[in-house]
């Protein structure tokens, strides 16, 4: 009895003595969170605080009933912390949130010009929901006006739906809080300003300086003997959806460029995206040629493509990758578009990559949402997933990018990539193949440059595809093209865990702020529009936020494989659904272990041991030098562990 | 089939390169020979050799190609990389090199020529020169060799023929010839006979092994009974079984008849909160229950818990062996994708086809059942008895999964090996029949053990840092199952193993399953090679590969070496003290019930007094309480168990079960195992560097190397004045605390003196204290010999230090090792 008593007391001592040591262990991350709390906009993540991706921000998780100290720390975050220039617009008590996972919760809703904040103290732990209004795609009133309860459904762009209800207002004149919400969720439709223009947070880094077209071309070695930088589009006269700085073959004068532009849809002429540092094989992008039903030809365009081929001495062939299925490409002839005929373009080989259009992709994501939110049918999970075709689309995009990368790297052949307009599938393909080909784009800054260059400057129509602040949720121009691209990047990171400097949280953050409208990065449709709206002056760049706290986004396993070309396996067998993004709202899907934390610990331990070894070796060296060295070389020789571990 | 391979050998001797063969045959006395860089086993003959061959490396091996020389011997297909280090002739023989394939694990040989592929059989002739040789293995590896244009054409052809002729198609008898090819030589037999069993793990063969486990778990009211010593009570039960203290052997004997195959309820494991896990076969219903019998039966069933017993019926919700076999064969067909028949599933049907194999459903249902049991046990103070008709398949799976989930010791390599010994080998899983090496018993074949490994992998992939063992270990075990060389898998129960070992005169203890039916004369044939246990990894894997079996930096949560059986640090809300003594419930499909015929004797009219007292107990008032226990598992909101176990910062109870997430998207396919043959992602670098490790592994290795260096450097500073050396040593201690590995990372040369050997804590992982009593053999090995000097006194000082200061955070280390030192005195008193 005595003994067991002592064990008990020992046990309690153990747990009490563990507390400080745990604190000291976590002290690094605590201090980090404190620091980042200042730098970070408190609601940078558009997530329920409960379902915050636990893997990356353990300090943000609500931990019910932990030590008092922890609780205090948490309670700071339980209050709504307003961003600069964020103002509360309305508040309502006694609102019910129907959480599909935990059941109905009663609490308070606050609506600001940036977010919806719901807080419930119903349960033993506080439940919070923090939703940037930009995420809301549609607000619908459910049920008839006569009933006592008014219910609202919020359809969100980030694969979830939220449902709230509150009592009918006594004062019928007073607007429901959700009508207030609608006003601020769709500022563009209501003649208001998007919050990004008001948000005035200052970060130590200026993200608008991340990308400079000239220095990026310079990094690639442009201009060189075959390629030049042209200013022909300086005022967006050649092509209003292209950037002002373009790289074109040396021997094509600006006048001819204009004639080529006349033959390409929306004037999007073939321009250089990437050049192989050794073989000079290039990735160029453009829109479809305006061939039409009559099979129109353009001498200038043919000469131009010949020039692109000639710029690469290694190969006497040019591959034209048309991202579309051949049927769609042919159908485009009816609208004046089409594809390059091999008769007209000597030495060119045309390949169709069978990637479907934005409407198919939108439908696929809609189906995926049905399958994963809120409930997942376990017994038919895989066949349900298959029926969405989402992974199949991902596979086709990756496969296309892989073919491009393979042609450029292994075939040393230049490629031209286009779809119809050259701003959706083309952007996916060029950026993914560049990611495979060039290790620079796999760093955090390099990836930012890649997005700025291939997506933003080349006019992927973010405003139209996402519909920032626009209530017209049925708009046929909306499509998850960019999400697909980020998904593909995530697939690459899964297959090459050490090849990317950024982690999963970085990708999730980009997607969250794609919708949040907190940063100006993804506003507008083109460089010209952004310049006109003075986006860089009036808003904050997402990269300012990210680059100010890189440690949150860094992959601890990153090894600089800058010389490696990644050839991913694109079979469906090797692709996975990105659970950490699409199913992150489900609390039962939360990762069980903070793996990144462990990697970081390992790295820290390695650094620590390395330091210690160095110190000791120095010490030994000093001593042996003084005592005329009796054991030569023994300390530095690395022994093979006889029995490494047990 | 021994003759078969011999004829092949003769035929080959006619070939021009006869000198080569002569070479391979000479030097019989040498234990191993270096032949063109290939280290042969004693008696191994090289049948064919092909130069300038490239081997395709899998993702795990670093991808890309590796060039070298290909050999075919009468035991394996061996590949020696070009610039591999010269083999050490004095080293112990390793059956298979890193790139080798045993002939017995080859299932199909396919050659790829220009524009065509062909399945090669012993009788087929080639009309083209193969460019590529693909070996499909039973363990789902696909090994691919590429012949260079510079490879002599004759070598390519001959190599293909040699492999096709010598790899044994599965049929009765071929196993024996394979065993002889591998282990049959005199030297090999000699070598195996002299091999010591690994003392780090519990083999559960002797009574003291079991006692040790009882001590480790703090199960004081149980005892080891040798009532089945001569297998008279039950042929399939082991010689020693664990039963309640209060049941005498004479009473025990009467209970065997009440259970199928005599497999009475036996103790398996005790949860630190005081619940016991039992296993039993189904009841024999057609038997008369005498009053005394009933008393005994109830005593056995309730064990030392007076109040509550939950019977978990494993038949209903879990797959039958036939289901598992079907699912596995479908999975194989799906994953292997056979280029010779080009019958691979189209990519767009991959997901639904994978679903229709039901393999993932079955892993899920096993994990779900085990999670339920784990949650029940966590509630404390009840008995959970797993019941299966034969108690030899799913009860092995569930009982061992429960222990992997709940007991950190079972997540270490040695702990896991002990677990397999306890629940599978001694628990008499019919390895021999289920694996069906001889292909003579297709009806019984079912990869139940592979399903279990998959379940463990699922747990591992969700909680990688809570395991000391790694995926590499699980893979090695998975592959070894397909190699008919190990006594572990070649018998159905201990009785079969014992028979064989008696006939061999005990020269090698764990030995081959001797089959009365199949080889009635093999017992008398002294030429049968002694078969090693699978746990003798050095026979199969090189040191570097073995070192990947465990995490170099042990898991973050403290692995406490001792389960004291009375862990009451957090008062338990769920404790069911109000249970009526003698309540028995059935857990089935997630709900509890108390059907009247659950215990056959209670429903029968003859039960007399007992019947009366237990009628009361049949009320279901305890059901809500029990369901609360299960709720922790199904809890949707704030799954406390989940949040508290995640994150190294959170307060962490090492005995909180690792409850897996079981939703559809959470059940992963073990790609590293099943898709090893498929084409993998590749990274091409300009200077092609082939053989680099996965970064995590490399990181882990670096950490280990640094530690070793540190160790070495700190020892070389030993002779300096103590004032200087204390500093680095202290740093060492801190390191230990940081890793929380619960033991002395610094090699603690403390017990170098002979007297202290028994209690020597092993260099790294915890739990070693609890394993077998003689770990000393390996402890000193792990460090350079010269470091013993002078170390001991300092470490003793450190040790004493922690014991003097009470509130020192080191406290648990101290207590741990002290209990290891005095297990006898500690165990009983703790649980009283």
């Amino acid at each position: 009895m005595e003994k067991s008593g002592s064990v008990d007391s020992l046990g309690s001592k153990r747990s009490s003595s563990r507390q400080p040591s745990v604190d000291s262990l976590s002290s690094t991350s605590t201090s980090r969170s404190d620091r980042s709390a200042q730098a970070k906009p408190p609601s940078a993540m558009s997530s329920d605080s409960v379902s915050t991706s636990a893997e990356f921000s353990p300090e943000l998780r609500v931990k019910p009933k932990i030590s008092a100290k922890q609780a205090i720390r948490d309670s700071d975050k339980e209050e709504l912390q307003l961003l600069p220039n964020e103002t509360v617009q309305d508040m309502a008590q006694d609102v019910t949130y129907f959480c599909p996972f935990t059941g109905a919760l009663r609490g308070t809703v606050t609506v600001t010009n940036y977010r919806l904040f719901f807080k419930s103290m119903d349960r033993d732990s506080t439940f919070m929901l923090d939703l940037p209004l930009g995420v809301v795609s549609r607000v619908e009133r459910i049920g008839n006006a006569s009933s006592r309860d008014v219910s609202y459904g919020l359809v969100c762009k980030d694969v979830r739906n939220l449902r709230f209800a509150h009592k009918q207002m006594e004062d019928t004149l007073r607007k429901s809080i959700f009508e207030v919400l609608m006003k601020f969720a769709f500022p563009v439709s209501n003649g208001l300003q998007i919050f990004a223009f008001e948000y005035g947070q200052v970060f130590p880094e200026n993200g608008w300086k991340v990308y400079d077209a000239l220095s990026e071309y310079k990094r690639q070695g442009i201009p060189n003997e075959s390629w030049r930088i042209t200013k022909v589009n300086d005022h967006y006269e050649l092509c209003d959806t292209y950037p002002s700085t373009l790289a074109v073959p040396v021997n094509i004068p600006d006048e001819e460029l204009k004639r080529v532009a006349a033959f390409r849809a929306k004037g999007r002429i073939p321009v250089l995206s990437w050049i192989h540092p050794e073989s000079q094989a290039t990735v160029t992008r453009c829109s479809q040629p305006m061939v039409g039903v009559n099979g129109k030809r353009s001498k200038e365009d043919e000469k131009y493509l010949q020039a692109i081929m000639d710029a690469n001495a290694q190969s006497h062939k040019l591959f034209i990758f048309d991202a579309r299925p051949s049927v769609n490409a042919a159908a485009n002839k009816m609208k004046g578009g089409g594809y390059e005929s091999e008769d007209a373009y000597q030495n060119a080989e045309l390949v169709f990559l069978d990637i479907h259009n934005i409407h198919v992709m939108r439908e696929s994501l809609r189906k995926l949402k049905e399958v994963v939110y809120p409930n997942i049918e376990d017994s038919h999970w895989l066949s349900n997933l298959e029926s969405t075709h989402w992974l199949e689309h991902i596979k086709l995009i990756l496969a296309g990018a892989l073919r491009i990368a393979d042609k450029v790297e292994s075939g040393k052949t230049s490629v031209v990539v286009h779809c119809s307009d050259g701003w959706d599938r083309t952007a996916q393909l060029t950026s993914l193949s560049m990611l495979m080909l060039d290790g620079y784009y796999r760093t955090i800054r390099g990836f930012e440059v890649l997005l700025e260059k291939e997506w933003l400057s080349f006019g992927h129509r973010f405003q139209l595809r996402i519909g920032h602040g626009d209530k017209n949720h049925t708009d046929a121009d909306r499509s998850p093209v960019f999400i697909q691209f980020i998904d593909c990047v995530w697939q690459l990171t899964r297959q090459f865990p050490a090849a990317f400097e950024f982690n999963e949280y970085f990708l999730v953050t980009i997607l969250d702020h794609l919708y949040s409208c907190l940063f100006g990065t993804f506003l507008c449709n083109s460089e010209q529009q952004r310049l006109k709206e003075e986006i860089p002056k009036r808003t904050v760049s997402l990269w300012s936020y990210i680059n100010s706290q890189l440690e949150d986004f860094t992959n601890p396993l990153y090894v600089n494989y800058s010389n490696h070309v990644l050839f991913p396996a694109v079979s469906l067998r090797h692709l996975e659904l990105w659970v950490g993004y699409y199913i992150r709202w489900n609390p039962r899907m939360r990762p069980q272990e903070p793996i990144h934390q462990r990697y970081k610990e390992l790295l820290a331990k390695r650094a620590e041991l390395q330091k210690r070894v160095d110190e000791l070796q120095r010490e030994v060296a000093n001593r042996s030098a003084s005592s005329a060295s009796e054991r030569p070389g023994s300390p530095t020789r690395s022994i093979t562990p006889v029995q490494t571990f047990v | 089939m021994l003759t078969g391979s011999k004829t092949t050998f003769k035929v080959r001797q006619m070939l021009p390169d006869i000198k080569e063969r002569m070479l391979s045959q000479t030097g019989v006395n040498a234990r191993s020979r270096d032949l063109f860089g290939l280290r042969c086993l004693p008696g191994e003959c090289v049948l064919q050799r092909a130069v300038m061959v490239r081997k395709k490396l899998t993702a795990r091996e670093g991808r890309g190609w590796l060039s070298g020389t290909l050999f075919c011997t009468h035991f394996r297909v061996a590949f020696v990389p070009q610039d591999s280090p010269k083999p050490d002739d004095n080293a112990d023989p390793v059956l298979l090199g890193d790139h080798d394939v045993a002939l017995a694990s080859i299932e199909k040989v396919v050659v790829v020529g220009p524009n065509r592929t062909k399945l090669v059989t012993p009788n087929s002739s080639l009309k083209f020169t193969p460019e590529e040789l693909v070996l499909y293995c039973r363990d789902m590896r696909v090994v691919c060799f590429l012949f260079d244009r510079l490879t002599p054409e004759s070598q390519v052809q001959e190599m293909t023929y040699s492999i096709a002729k010598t790899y044994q198609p599965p049929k009765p008898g071929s196993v024996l010839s394979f065993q002889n090819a591998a282990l049959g030589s005199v030297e090999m037999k000699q070598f195996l006979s002299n091999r010591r069993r690994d003392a780090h793990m519990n083999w559960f063969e002797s009574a003291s092994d079991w006692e040790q486990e009882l001590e480790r778990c703090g199960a004081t009211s149980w005892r080891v009974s040798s009532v089945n010593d001569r297998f008279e009570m039950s042929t399939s039960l082991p010689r020693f079984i664990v039963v309640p203290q209060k049941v005498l052997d004479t009473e025990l004997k009467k209970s065997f008849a009440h259970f199928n195959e005599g497999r009475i309820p036996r103790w398996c494991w005790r949860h630190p909160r005081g619940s016991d896990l039992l296993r039993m076969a189904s009841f024999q219903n057609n038997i008369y229950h005498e009053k005394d019998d009933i008393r005994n039966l109830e005593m056995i069933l309730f064990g030392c818990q007076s109040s509550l017993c939950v019977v978990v019926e494993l038949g209903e919700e879990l797959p039958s062996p036939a289901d598992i076999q079907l699912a596995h064969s479908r999975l194989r067909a799906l994953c292997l994708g056979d280029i010779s028949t080009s019958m691979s599933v189209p990519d767009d049907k991959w997901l639904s086809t994978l679903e229709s194999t039901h393999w993932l459903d079955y892993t899920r249902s096993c994990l779900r059942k085990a999670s339920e049991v784990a949650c029940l046990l966590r509630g404390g103070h009840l008995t959970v008895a797993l019941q299966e008709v034969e108690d030899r398949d799913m009860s092995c799976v569930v009982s061992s999964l429960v222990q992997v989930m709940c007991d950190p010791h079972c997540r270490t390599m040695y702990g896991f090996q002990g677990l397999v010994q306890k629940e599978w080998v001694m628990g008499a899983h019919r390895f021999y029949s289920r694996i069906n090496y001889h292909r003579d018993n297709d009806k019984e074949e079912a990869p139940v053990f592979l399903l279990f490994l998959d379940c463990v992998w699922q747990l591992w992939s969700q909680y990688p840092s809570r395991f000391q063992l790694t995926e590499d270990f699980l893979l090695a075990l998975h592959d070894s199952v397909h190699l008919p060389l190990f006594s572990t898998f070649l018998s159905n129960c201990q009785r079969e193993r014992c028979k064989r070992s008696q006939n061999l005169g005990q020269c090698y203890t764990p030995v081959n399953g001797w089959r009365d039916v199949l080889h009635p004369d093999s017992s008398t044939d002294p030429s049968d090679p002694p078969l090693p246990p699978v746990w003798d990894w050095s026979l199969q894997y090189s040191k570097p590969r073995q070192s990947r079996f465990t995490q170099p930096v042990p898991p973050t949560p403290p692995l406490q070496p001792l389960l004291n059986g009375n862990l009451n640090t957090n008062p338990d809300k769920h404790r069911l003290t109000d249970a009526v003594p003698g309540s028995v419930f059935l857990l089935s499909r997630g709900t509890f019930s108390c059907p009247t015929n659950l215990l056959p004797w209670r429903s029968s009219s003859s039960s007399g007094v007992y019947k009366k007292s237990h009628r009361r107990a049949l009320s279901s008032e305890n059901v809500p309480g029990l369901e609360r226990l299960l709720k922790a598992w199904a809890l949707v909101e704030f799954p406390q168990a989940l949040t508290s176990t995640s994150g190294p910062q959170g307060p962490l109870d090492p005995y909180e079960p690792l409850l897996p997430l079981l939703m559809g998207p959470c059940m992963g396919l073990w790609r590293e195992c099943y898709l090893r043959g498929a084409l993998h992602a590749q990274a091409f670098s300009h200077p092609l560097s082939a053989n680099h490790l996965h970064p995590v592994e490399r990181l882990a290795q670096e950490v280990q190397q640094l530690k070793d260096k540190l160790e070495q450097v700190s020892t070389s500073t030993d002779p300096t004045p103590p004032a200087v050396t204390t500093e680095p040593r202290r740093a060492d201690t801190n390191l230990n605390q940081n890793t929380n590995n619960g033991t002395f990372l610094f090699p603690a040369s403390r017990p170098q003196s002979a007297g202290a050997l028994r209690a020597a804590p092993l260099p790294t992982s915890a739990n070693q204290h609890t394993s077998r009593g003689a770990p000393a053999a390996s402890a000193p090995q792990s460090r350079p010999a010269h470091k013993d000097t002078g170390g001991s006194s300092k470490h003793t000082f450190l040790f004493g230090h922690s014991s003097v200061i009470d509130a020192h955070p080191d406290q648990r280390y101290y207590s741990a090792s002290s209990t290891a030192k005095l297990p006898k005195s500690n165990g009983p008193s703790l649980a009283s």
Side-chain angles (χ1 to χ4, degrees), chain B residues 588-603:
Chain B
S588 169
R589 301 192 182 280
T591 53
F592 293 92
S593 57
C594 31
T596 47
N597 59 346
L598 177 57
L599 303 184
W601 56 86
R602 284 191 181 180
S603 59

Side-chain angles (χ1 to χ4, degrees), chain B residues 634-820:
Chain B
L635 213 57
V636 179
E637 55 160 338
F638 309 127
Q640 220 164 333
L642 302 183
T643 45
S644 65
T645 48
S646 64
Q649 288 118 324
L652 204 126
D653 177 358
Y655 297 108
E656 271 304 304
L658 306 184
L659 298 179
L661 297 175
L662 296 178
M663 285 172 67
C666 304
M667 300 305 292
L669 179 72
W670 191 3
R671 287 192 166 79
E672 295 290 356
C673 180
Y674 307 134
L675 287 180
R676 279 182 284 181
L679 189 71
H680 273 280
Q682 296 189 25
F684 283 125
S685 51
H686 293 307
L688 193 89
S689 61
N691 209 0
H692 53 243
L693 295 167
H694 187 274
V696 186
E697 282 165 0
R698 208 173 39 198
L699 184 59
Q701 275 192 355
E702 270 174 51
V703 169
Q704 185 57 41
Q705 275 169 3
L706 286 172
K707 268 186 199 156
D708 291 339
K709 255 193 207 165
L710 187 58
E711 199 174 283
Q712 209 189 17
V713 173
S714 56
T715 41
S716 57
T717 57
D718 259 3
T720 59
V724 193
T725 41
T726 38
E727 199 269 321
R729 281 191 190 286
R730 269 187 177 284
D732 252 9
T733 347
N734 290 338
L735 266 177
N736 289 333
Q737 286 163 12
N738 287 347
T739 45
N740 276 337
N741 68 347
T743 183
F744 304 91
L745 234 188
F746 61 98
S749 13
R750 182 177 63 88
Q752 287 306 316
S753 61
L757 273 182
R758 208 184 161 275
L762 290 176
T764 20
S765 144
N767 305 314
Q768 298 312 328
H769 308 285
T770 64
S771 62
R772 316 253 326 166
S778 78
Q781 273 175 21
S782 66
R783 57 192 88 94
H786 62 91
K787 75 160 302 162
D788 297 359
T789 52
S792 100
S793 64
K794 275 164 216 139
H795 285 295
T796 321
F797 158 72
L798 245 182
F799 211 67
H801 178 70
S802 65
S803 65
V804 169
I805 299 169
D806 242 0
H808 197 276
D810 238 352
Q811 188 71 37
R812 61 171 177 268
Y813 302 133
Y814 173 63
S815 78
S817 51
S818 79
T819 48

Side-chain angles (χ1 to χ4, degrees), chain A residues 244-389:
Chain A
S244 56
T245 311
L246 296 172
V248 295
V250 152
N251 50 357
I252 306 289
D254 284 356
E255 277 315 302
E256 268 182 55
L257 291 180
K258 285 174 188 159
R259 280 192 292 259
V260 173
F263 187 64
R264 289 277 163 181
K266 312 271 194 316
R268 294 171 69 92
I269 59 167
V271 289
L272 179 107
S273 274
W274 189 77
I275 185 164
H276 195 287
E278 282 158 24
S279 71
Q280 305 288 304
T282 53
V283 178
T284 44
R285 58 182 290 173
C286 57
S287 61
Q288 63 181 342
M290 299 308 282
V291 176
V293 271
N294 299 326
K296 233 171 36 189
R297 289 176 61 165
S298 157
K299 266 213 185 67
E300 289 79 11
D301 195 64
E302 287 160 26
K303 183 183 165 200
Y304 189 78
L305 290 197
Q306 185 66 39
I308 289 174
M309 193 186 85
D310 292 342
N312 168 20
Q314 306 259 358
S315 172
H316 300 290
K317 218 170 160 62
L318 181 72
F319 273 88
I320 301 173
F321 285 99
D322 189 326
R324 302 166 290 185
S326 58
V327 187
N328 298 27
N332 257 294
K333 285 189 177 171
M334 305 303 292
K335 294 182 242 164
Y339 51 89
E340 294 84 355
S341 76
E342 289 182 15
D343 300 336
Y345 296 85
Q346 297 289 316
N347 304 321
E349 192 174 325
L350 186 67
V351 179
F352 293 104
L353 294 176
D354 283 329
I355 302 169
H356 285 277
N357 63 25
I358 57 168
H359 312 293
V360 177
M361 303 306 183
R362 184 176 58 235
E363 183 58 17
S364 178
L365 185 64
R366 191 191 60 74
K367 282 187 192 153
L368 182 67
K369 184 171 173 178
E370 271 175 12
V371 170
V372 301
Y373 191 91
N375 295 314
I376 292 169
E377 200 191 337
D378 282 346
S379 53
H380 295 111
W381 159 246
L382 290 175
S383 46
N384 286 344
L385 178 62
E386 184 177 284
S387 68
T388 69
H389 299 292

Side-chain angles (χ1 to χ4, degrees), chain B residues 421-437:
Chain B
Q421 280 293 122
K422 180 169 72 166
E423 297 297 337
W424 293 79
V425 177
M426 292 303 142
H429 172 65
R430 279 185 292 218
F431 278 115
Y432 185 86
S433 310
R434 291 295 182 218
I435 302 172
N436 191 18
Y437 287 121

Side-chain angles (χ1 to χ4, degrees), chain A residues 50-92:
Chain A
V50 205
S51 335
T52 311
S53 167
E55 188 171 347
F56 303 106
S57 53
E59 69 274 6
L60 279 183
R61 249 178 314 145
V62 175
K63 280 186 197 163
K65 294 179 225 148
I66 322 176
S67 67
K69 200 177 161 192
Q70 194 107 29
I72 292 165
R73 212 185 295 154
D74 280 345
S75 72
D76 297 342
K77 299 194 176 78
E78 284 176 16
E79 296 306 321
L80 170 60
Q81 291 180 336
L82 292 181
L83 300 173
N85 298 324
E86 186 183 1
T87 49
V88 174
Q89 304 295 329
D90 198 1
M91 267 178 93

Side-chain angles (χ1 to χ4, degrees), chain B residues 462-518:
Chain B
Q462 291 192 22
Y463 295 97
S465 73
R466 304 289 295 275
F467 280 77
Q468 186 240 7
L469 58 86
T470 61
E471 186 179 15
D472 283 274
F473 173 76
L474 294 175
L475 266 178
L477 194 51
H478 176 273
D479 295 348
S480 304
V481 170
H482 297 88
L483 216 55
L485 288 179
F486 306 108
S487 60
T488 315
F489 303 128
L490 279 161
S491 304
N492 284 332
C493 60
Q494 194 185 10
R495 182 166 156 271
E496 287 180 13
R497 287 184 186 87
C498 283
K499 273 192 179 174
R500 162 80 184 225
S501 78
Q502 275 162 8
N503 290 325
L504 281 178
Q506 307 279 10
C507 65
Y508 188 82
T509 329
V511 260
N512 177 24
W514 168 80
R515 296 271 292 171
D516 347 37
V517 196
L518 261 171

Side-chain angles (χ1 to χ4, degrees), chain B residues 469-623:
Chain B
L469 58 86
T470 61
E471 186 179 15
D472 283 274
F473 173 76
L474 294 175
L475 266 178
L477 194 51
H478 176 273
D479 295 348
S480 304
V481 170
H482 297 88
L483 216 55
L485 288 179
F486 306 108
S487 60
T488 315
F489 303 128
L490 279 161
S491 304
N492 284 332
C493 60
Q494 194 185 10
R495 182 166 156 271
E496 287 180 13
R497 287 184 186 87
C498 283
K499 273 192 179 174
R500 162 80 184 225
S501 78
Q502 275 162 8
N503 290 325
L504 281 178
Q506 307 279 10
C507 65
Y508 188 82
T509 329
V511 260
N512 177 24
W514 168 80
R515 296 271 292 171
D516 347 37
V517 196
L518 261 171
H519 315 291
D521 57 339
S522 64
S523 60
T524 53
D525 179 8
S527 69
D528 268 9
L531 296 177
V534 70
W535 313 126
D536 197 347
W537 293 114
S538 319
L539 277 180
Q540 280 196 78
Y541 291 96
S542 58
K543 274 273 178 256
R545 291 212 31 201
Q546 280 185 63
S547 69
R548 287 196 229 159
F549 287 179
T550 50
Q551 281 196 50
V553 182
T556 19
L559 287 180
Q560 296 189 3
L562 190 78
L563 300 178
N564 60 23
N566 267 326
L567 190 81
N568 266 329
T569 40
N570 30 349
D572 194 356
K573 297 170 289 189
H574 300 313
R575 190 162 162 184
L576 302 162
T577 43
D578 53 340
V580 184
S583 310
V584 181
F585 293 97
L586 176 74
L587 170 66
S588 169
R589 301 192 182 280
T591 53
F592 293 92
S593 57
C594 31
T596 47
N597 59 346
L598 177 57
L599 303 184
W601 56 86
R602 284 191 181 180
S603 59
S604 71
S605 55
S606 66
S607 47
V609 190
Y610 281 92
K611 181 187 160 195
K612 199 169 179 189
S613 67
H614 289 304
R615 275 290 174 220
R616 236 171 359 112
L618 286 177
S619 74
S620 46
E621 60 196 52
N622 281 312
V623 167

Side-chain angles (χ1 to χ4, degrees), chain B residues 368-429:
Chain B
R368 173 171 291 134
K369 187 54 88 184
S371 305
E372 283 175 6
V373 174
C375 286
L376 277 181
L377 289 170
R378 182 171 61 168
H381 299 286
L382 46 81
T383 303
V384 177
L386 307 176
Q387 187 171 41
E388 193 189 20
V389 177
E390 289 192 302
D391 178 34
R392 296 176 78 169
D393 289 305
M394 294 324 283
S395 48
C396 302
V397 174
V398 174
S399 64
S400 34
L401 274 180
V402 167
Q403 292 172 61
V404 171
M405 285 174 182
C406 297
D407 189 346
H409 174 64
C410 295
R411 286 173 238 141
T412 64
M413 187 177 98
Y414 288 118
F416 187 81
Q417 294 181 169
L419 180 71
V420 174
Q421 280 293 122
K422 180 169 72 166
E423 297 297 337
W424 293 79
V425 177
M426 292 303 142
H429 172 65

